[in-house]
Structures are given as structure tokens and as C-alpha cells.
Amino acid sequence: AALLAALAIGARPFAAEETAGLLDWEIDRVRHATRELVARGLAIGVGGATRVAHDLIREAAAEALPAAARRRLHARLAAWIEDNAGDDLPLLREALTHRDIAGLPTGALAGRLLASAQRRLLGGDDLRLLASIADALDLTDPTRLRLDRSLGELAAVLGEQELALERWARVSENALDMPERQRAELEAARAAYRLGSQTDAHAHIGRARQAWPADGEAAVQLDALQAEVELWLDHETAAGSRTAARALAGARALAATQGGLERLSQESRRAYLAALVVAGDAALQEDRAGDVILLSGTILELAAGLDDESHVAALIRTGFALRPLGRIEESEAQY
């Protein structure tokens, strides 16, 4: 009966060793109980593991348990899975479900999921569940701010821009550190830009400038993003070109203070790259072919010093920019 209850609440196949750890039984006891369940048609073997024979049996077995017993089993499953999950995303997600059903705190485990190396495998429904967990935390709980920050970062990467905008706006509202508030407003503006919302993008850029004096990388990033909004959402080529030139000038000044392009920090390199990209966009809109070619070479040089994702994006973008100029062969050869 104890084994059947564990299999029913676990709702998946378990190896004998796993069940022994979960129930704190000797392995021989698990094997004996498993044989009894299989002989009665209540369980079946699946690839060296055991599960309840049918969903109807599983549901009936789970419903027959008192509510308190169900919660205890969910709690035990959550603890056992967490202890053995490491950085495995599906196991952490499974443990989160059991914790939630058991009525246990879920904030710390949600943070583990968002810190997992496999976090990009999370889906939109997973992100919304994690957002609801953050929402349920007290406003003064520092875990809430960390979860919102991590959710904003991941949602932006996964293309869930509405969630990214919402979370970064929340970070800005609750952050006490002014540079962090500025960064949150910048990221919110970036999400609004990707959503095509020029009003929200301008509003968040304005709040970012008000939150803290923008200098260094922050000033370059803000000018670069504002130029993107002016060029592609406002359709104001002249204004966007001027702002892009300001961003590029700031980036060059940043490089000069750090000893040149090759000595730029990662954050400065990303800011410089953003300025180069929008300066290239402005040159493209104004049909300045020479500037497009010159900027494209520096974009590739800078992106190569970041990560593969940035480098591939730069190669694709450079190919797109150079194709109308008949210079695509060089970009494709580098790819």
C-alpha cells in the first residue's frame, strides 16, 4: 500500500533504487512489494522501472489517501528529488510541482530553476508559473526581487517580451539601488522596443535617465537603444542618426579610456557593439555605403570577442547590411 501510494503520487516510473531512497526501505523490501503489485495487476515494469498500471488506478489510489497523507508524500517527493536533482532542469521542475502541491515554500527552488544551466529549455508556461511564485512572495522578501530579475533576463532571451517588460518594470519599482533601477528601466525599454511599443520604450528610457546619472556603458546603451527606437519605431531617420552618432562617440571615448578595443571589458564591449549596430542602421537608412562597410568590419571584430551567439548574430546582420551593396561574399566567407 505504501509503495502504491508513492507511485501514484509520483506519477511516473521509479527504479527500485529510487523508491528505496524515497521510502527509506531496504532494496529487497522494495522488490518484494513491487512483485506483489505487479502480480495483482496494479503496477507494471517499464524499462527497469515500475509505474502504476493505469492512470485510472493511479488517480483512484491518490484520491483514496487522506489529504494530509497526500501532502506528506508530495513533500517527501519534493525533498528527495531536490537532493538528487543537481542542475537537472526536468527534475527541478518536477520537485517544484510537488512542493507547490504540498504547500511548501517554493521561492528558493524557483531560483534554482532560473539559475540552472538548462534554463533556456523552460517554456512559456514554466515562466508564468515562476512569475506567479514570485508574485506570491512578500514585497520585502529579497527572493522576490532576485526572481523578477532572473525572469526578466530569461524571458527576454526566450522571446517572451511582454513578461520581460512586466518583470523589469517590477524590478525598477522595488529596487533600492539606483544603478540597478536604471538597468531595469533600460531592459524594460529594450523589451518594449522588441514589442514595437514606442510609447513604452521612450517612457522607460526617460525613467532610466532620471534614475541615475548615465555615464560609461549605461550612457552608450541608452543612446544606442533610443536611436533604435527613433530609427525603427518613430521612423525619424535624422533624429535617430544624431542619437546613434552620440552613442558611437560615447563608445569610442569608452574604448579610449580602457586602452583600445582589445582591452574593453565584456560589458563595455557589448555597449560598443550596440552603438556600432545602430550606427550601421542609421548609415543604411541614409544610404551611406562606405560607413556601412566600415562599421560592419568593426562589428564583426567586436562580436568575435564576445560569445558564439553574438558572433553569429553579427555575421547574419552584416550579411544583411552588405547584400544590397554587393559585398555579401566577404561576409559569407567569414561565416
Side-chain angles (χ1 to χ4, degrees):
L3 177 59
L4 180 60
L7 293 175
I9 295 299
R12 67 167 171 87
F14 284 89
E17 293 76 10
E18 292 178 314
T19 314
L22 174 62
L23 296 176
D24 196 22
W25 285 4
E26 294 293 333
I27 192 70
D28 287 342
R29 184 182 182 189
V30 173
R31 288 171 178 157
H32 174 74
T34 299
R35 287 194 298 269
E36 292 291 320
L37 287 180
V38 171
R40 286 162 172 75
L42 297 174
I44 57 174
V46 181
T50 304
R51 67 169 176 82
V52 178
H54 195 280
D55 284 344
L56 291 176
I57 297 173
R58 179 181 59 77
E59 291 169 8
E63 289 174 6
L65 290 170
R70 284 200 300 271
R71 285 195 297 271
R72 283 196 299 271
L73 270 172
H74 280 296
R76 178 176 282 192
L77 274 160
W80 178 79
I81 294 170
E82 283 181 66
D83 289 343
N84 294 278
D87 200 36
D88 187 281
L89 191 74
L91 286 177
L92 290 172
R93 179 67 179 81
E94 184 182 2
L96 186 67
T97 299
H98 288 299
R99 265 193 166 270
D100 189 39
I101 296 172
L104 296 173
T106 51
L109 184 55
R112 280 183 67 183
L113 264 84
L114 289 168
S116 168
Q118 301 173 330
R119 60 188 177 275
R120 291 193 180 192
L121 298 177
L122 289 169
D125 290 341
D126 296 323
L127 293 182
R128 281 178 277 280
L129 170 63
L130 294 168
S132 70
I133 289 171
D135 292 343
L137 296 173
D138 191 271
L139 281 171
T140 59
D141 189 335
T143 303
R144 177 168 175 159
L145 187 63
R146 288 196 296 270
L147 289 179
D148 281 336
R149 188 188 304 117
S150 297
L151 278 165
E153 291 172 351
L154 186 58
V157 170
L158 297 182
E160 296 279 347
Q161 301 303 334
E162 290 184 0
L163 181 61
L165 175 57
E166 173 195 297
R167 292 296 125 175
W168 282 120
R170 281 267 301 269
V171 171
S172 176
E173 289 172 9
N174 298 314
L176 298 178
D177 181 71
M178 291 300 104
E180 181 178 11
R181 181 171 292 180
Q182 182 180 70
R183 189 234 167 167
E185 289 291 351
L186 171 63
E187 296 299 338
R190 189 169 283 130
Y193 166 68
R194 289 168 179 159
L195 286 168
S197 176
Q198 62 193 102
T199 301
D200 286 340
H202 279 300
H204 285 292
I205 288 171
R207 284 197 281 270
R209 294 189 187 281
Q210 294 168 6
W212 189 256
D215 55 12
E217 293 101 347
V220 174
Q221 292 274 21
L222 281 167
D223 284 339
L225 182 57
Q226 181 176 326
E228 292 274 19
V229 174
E230 291 168 343
L231 288 171
W232 298 112
L233 297 186
D234 298 343
H235 305 294
E236 295 286 349
T237 299
S241 183
R242 287 192 298 271
T243 310
R246 188 171 71 223
L248 189 56
R252 286 171 173 159
L254 195 62
T257 62
Q258 295 186 25
L261 290 181
E262 63 282 354
R263 295 188 177 181
L264 283 173
S265 67
Q266 289 291 93
E267 199 60 36
S268 296
R269 187 176 287 265
R270 291 187 188 281
Y272 203 137
L273 184 59
L276 284 167
V277 166
V278 76
D281 289 347
L284 199 62
Q285 287 195 13
E286 294 180 332
D287 294 323
R288 291 184 276 115
D291 287 345
V292 171
I293 294 167
L294 183 63
L295 290 165
S296 294
T298 314
I299 286 170
L300 289 173
E301 179 186 352
L302 268 177
L306 285 169
D307 47 58
D308 290 344
E309 187 176 338
S310 298
H311 193 202
V312 170
L315 286 166
I316 294 170
R317 186 200 175 282
T318 300
F320 171 78
L322 295 180
R323 187 180 294 276
L325 308 177
R327 299 297 296 271
I328 187 61
E329 294 83 1
E330 179 181 350
S331 176
E332 287 181 338
Q334 290 186 56
Y335 180 75

